[in-house]
Amino acid sequence: MSGATGTLVSVNVGLPRDVEWRGRTVHTGIWKEPVDGRCFVGRTNVAGDGQGDLAGHGGEQRAVYVYQLDSYRYWGEHLGRGDFVHGQFGENFTVDGLGDDEVCIGDRYQIGSALFEVTQPRVTCYRVGIRLDEPRMPALLVTHGRPGFYLRVLDEGEVAPGDAITKVASSQEQVTVRALNALLYVDPQPDPDELRRALRIPALSLGWQDSMRALLEAHDSHAGGNAGLVPPALQPAWAGFRSLRVVAKRAETVDIVSLELDSADGVPLPGAAPGQFVTVQLHPLGDASPLVRSYSLSGAPEASTYRISVKVEPNGAAGHLVRDRVDVGDRIDVAAPRGRFVLDPQPPSARSVALLSAGVGVTPVLAMLHALSAASATRDVWWVHGARNREEHAFAEEADELLASLPHAHRFVCYSAPSTHDIRGVDYDAAGRVTADAIAAAGAPLASDFFLCGPIGFMDSMQAGLAALGVAPADVHTELFGAEGAITPGIVSGPARQPHAPEGPAGAGALVAFVRSSLQVRWDDRFPSLLEFAEACDVPVRWSCRTGVCHTCETGLLDGRVAYDPEPLEAPAIGSVLLCCSRPEGDLTLDL
Ligand SMILES: Cc1cc2nc3c(=O)[nH]c(=O)nc-3n(C[C@H](O)[C@H](O)[C@H](O)COP(=O)(O)OP(=O)(O)OC[C@H]3O[C@@H](n4cnc5c(N)ncnc54)[C@H](O)[C@@H]3O)c2cc1C
Ligand code: FES
């Protein structure tokens, strides 16, 4: 199929620069200027162009961003603006024609001497809001079905303003840019046939393929949220905190204490997925505010009780309270099991699984080992654990018994400081710290599903070591016993500060508990959203659009209610909140 379909009106390029935004510095390539004459377009870029944030923009599948004059006219009218210049939307090619409702993913276009293929709609983020001085812009582009689209460069060549744009091949599946944008962001229940149709387009970018696949898999789940944007979470079994009874207490090592919790009202506890955690509220003596802490479930996931195992850190408030003040018979407020760090004990593939832990990080992977044993798993299971010595080696016998129940289990336990009583080959298998090289040398296959939990130094060195050995990041699953890494695209960060109450007078509003950051602060109405409140507290946050579209800021809501303004395009999963467009309606507990 061929025929003239449009005109290249302007070619715009720009290298990333630092701009000031709300007291912060953003490194962004969204400012682009028109260039005169012919311009070379290479495999990943228009000559002279660059992106500030390669995670979100650029690369082979997003080499050239296209925006249409018709949308310029539309936004001019809709926003009452007459000040737009070519490149205003961050696009490389400003074009006449090629509307989002006619261009299909996989269509091919000849422009000048270069050949292009349409790969995906634009993924919107806050920087287009900065460029247009209109913070709602990321949401508007999506909801009004005018996102623009990206091209991959099939044949490198030269283009110039005034060049005709000729369609040289049509995609077989005929899914327009606007329709695909709606499937991911707008349709509350995307049609599975349309998702399958999108997945049949070979030109579709890998990221969008993953999103379509996730939406298809989640089609029958009723947990809400948008699986295409955030990996689906298991729906929490109850809202807020439930009072549970301590039915057993046991010292596992010199500094780890386990509590077994059971229903206090006769209603049985629902099961948990292997690897999930619960959040507990502990009440110190006197009027001090409760301590809110999370603990992975360390017992068998199918057990009728929940077991948590708490390390008593030097000066650790909750650890000391659990060891010294909590007794059998006491009640503890517990939020329902949550978390995405979960193992499928009977996956469709027979890939081997490697459970890697150090210290008290053993807890979630021990639950996984229980689940593998209960499922009589026949695949290879590698149990790798690091401890100082036998005295500090928690759950040694329990793990050995579980491993003995599995036909293809392997143990590799390392002691960093074995004592003279510790017996190599019995208590442990190697002296020294656990390293990726040592695990590989012990024979663990690199084509495994890896599950990692331990202190931050262990996690960093294991992730780097496994990556250096060629293990794909998607095969490495991690649980952090603290704040998760921030996602703040383009922000040039200063030195990290410990979380703290916001500067200025203390708020008088609802009490907001940021559990992972161990911070409880009163809300203040001067903040437009929970996201900005958390940022003012230096609590690590994750965001991209800041207007309720992308779900990057989706966070576990352990207790409490929020009000949305603006309403997000799609509600978050049940038990979660979108921080960027919500404010508390009463006290809140957030998994942040
Ligand atoms: C998903 C998840 C799962 C988790 N699972 C587990 C688990 O299974 N088991 C477990 O033990 N923990 C787990 N944690 C961690 C747990 O939630 C707590 O963070 C941890 O137990 C420490 O709490 P704490 O109140 O005892 O210590 P905090 O009082 O919060 O102190 C934290 C650290 O600061 C140090 N500290 C405190 N005061 C001072 C001071 N004045 N000077 C210097 N240092 C100080 C303490 O030594 C300690 O190391 C998990 C966390 C998450 C997010
Ligand atoms: S940052 Fe995109 S939905 Fe909140």
Side-chain angles (χ1 to χ4, degrees), residues 111-198:
I111 313 177
S113 58
L115 179 65
F116 301 92
E117 182 177 60
V118 180
T119 55
Q120 62 164 80
R122 180 207 194 111
V123 171
T124 185
C125 82
Y126 76 113
R127 281 162 288 207
V128 70
I130 302 181
R131 180 68 181 90
L132 276 112
D133 197 18
E134 171 50 82
R136 294 173 304 157
M137 207 62 217
L140 292 174
L141 291 176
V142 169
T143 46
H144 290 235
R146 293 180 176 272
F149 54 87
Y150 280 106
L151 299 173
R152 90 164 33 91
V153 182
L154 296 177
D155 288 338
E156 299 181 335
E158 285 188 344
V159 300
D163 280 354
I165 303 176
T166 308
K167 189 183 202 178
V168 293
S170 288
S171 160
Q172 218 181 344
E173 293 299 337
Q174 293 289 296
V175 178
T176 65
V177 170
R178 181 172 290 175
L180 191 67
N181 170 74
L183 268 185
L184 181 57
Y185 290 111
V186 186
D187 293 348
Q189 284 179 319
D191 180 346
D193 288 339
E194 290 303 307
L195 297 170
R196 283 189 205 99
R197 199 143 80 93

Side-chain angles (χ1 to χ4, degrees), residues 278-316:
V278 293
T279 303
V280 303
Q281 258 184 342
L282 300 162
H283 296 274
L285 288 179
D287 295 334
S289 340
L291 301 171
V292 189
R293 300 285 188 270
S294 294
Y295 295 102
S296 298
L297 296 174
S298 61
E302 71 284 359
S304 59
T305 55
Y306 295 157
R307 182 177 71 182
I308 60 171
S309 305
V310 178
K311 176 152 189 220
V312 186
E313 304 276 4
N315 300 313

